């Protein structure tokens, strides 16, 4: 099992680099060439969402991306450091349960004291909807330490000569 880790400051211009690295590592891991555009788009959406949460929440810590090559699958985790108030229903949500409570996590901004800017929740929900449409195996979790989007794709078995 091999893992590549990226950490980048929450700036939109770094999302492109994360997409390119994810596609390169996915290709090397054996993800089907026809799926690489989906990998790029899903990583872009997840990273854009994390950057937006960091910016709106005033979080200066880096966005985290882990790319893991396993024997039968390629996994990507995109993590943000924007805490969610406990008891908000963010723990353990899966692709089917994304829409109800994990859009922009407005409760995470300044401990819930500030108003989310117009469009934040819709943009967060749209990004998660795109991800769940692209990735069959996706899990979104959030807690007092931040949020995490886990995605995985099957890899082609290596053919022996």
């Amino acid at each position: 099992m091999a893992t590549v880790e990226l950490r980048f400051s929450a700036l939109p211009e770094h999302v492109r680099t994360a997409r390119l690295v994810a596609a390169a590592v996915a290709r090397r891991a054996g993800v089907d060439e026809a799926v690489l555009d989906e990998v790029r788009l899903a990583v872009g959406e997840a990273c854009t969402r994390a950057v937006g949460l960091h910016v709106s929440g005033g979080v200066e810590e880096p966005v985290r991306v882990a790319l893991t090559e396993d024997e039968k699958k390629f996994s990507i985790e995109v993590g943000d450091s924007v805490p969610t108030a406990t008891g908000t229903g963010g723990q353990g949500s899966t692709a089917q349960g994304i829409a109800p409570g994990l859009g922009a996590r407005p409760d995470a901004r300044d401990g819930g004291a500030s108003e989310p800017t117009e469009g934040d929740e819709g943009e967060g929900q749209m990004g998660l909807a795109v991800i769940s449409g692209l990735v069959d195996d996706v899990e979104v979790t959030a807690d007092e330490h931040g949020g995490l989007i886990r995605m995985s794709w099957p890899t082609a078995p290596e053919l022996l000569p």
Side-chain angles (χ1 to χ4, degrees), residues 7 20 29 39-40 49 51 60 72 80 104 106 108 116 121 142 159:
R7 292 182 186 268
L20 294 171
V39 171
R40 261 190 294 275
R49 181 174 183 273
V51 166
E60 294 186 20
K72 296 182 181 178
D80 66 67
E121 188 170 338
L159 302 174

Side-chain angles (χ1 to χ4, degrees), residues 8-18 51:
F8 61 89
S9 54
L11 297 170
E13 53 266 29
H14 296 311
V15 172
R16 180 176 186 273
T17 303
V51 166

Side-chain angles (χ1 to χ4, degrees), residues 7 40 47 49-50 52 55 68 71 76 94 102 109-111 114 129 136 141 154:
R7 292 182 186 268
R40 261 190 294 275
C47 289
R49 181 174 183 273
V55 169
T68 305
E71 190 175 311
I76 299 175
T94 61
L102 287 175
R109 291 179 188 84
D110 300 323
S114 67
D136 290 335
T141 58

Side-chain angles (χ1 to χ4, degrees), residues 21-135:
V21 170
V25 175
R27 179 178 284 120
R28 188 190 74 198
V31 172
D32 189 317
E33 201 68 31
V35 180
L36 291 179
D37 282 339
E38 294 173 7
V39 171
R40 261 190 294 275
L41 184 54
V43 168
E45 290 292 336
C47 289
T48 296
R49 181 174 183 273
V51 166
L53 287 169
H54 277 225
V55 169
S56 64
V59 174
E60 294 186 20
E61 290 162 34
V63 172
R64 303 171 315 278
V65 180
L67 311 157
T68 305
E69 177 184 345
D70 203 337
E71 190 175 311
K72 296 182 181 178
K73 69 180 181 177
F74 172 67
S75 303
I76 299 175
E77 294 183 352
V78 177
D80 66 67
S81 298
V82 180
T84 299
T86 53
T88 60
Q91 292 79 1
S93 296
T94 61
Q96 292 77 23
I98 287 174
L102 287 175
R105 297 195 330 241
D107 55 304
R109 291 179 188 84
D110 300 323
S114 67
E115 289 294 314
T117 58
E118 191 167 323
D120 276 356
E121 188 170 338
E123 289 173 19
Q125 292 287 27
M126 182 63 76
L128 289 173
V130 169
I131 292 167
S132 66
L134 291 169
V135 185

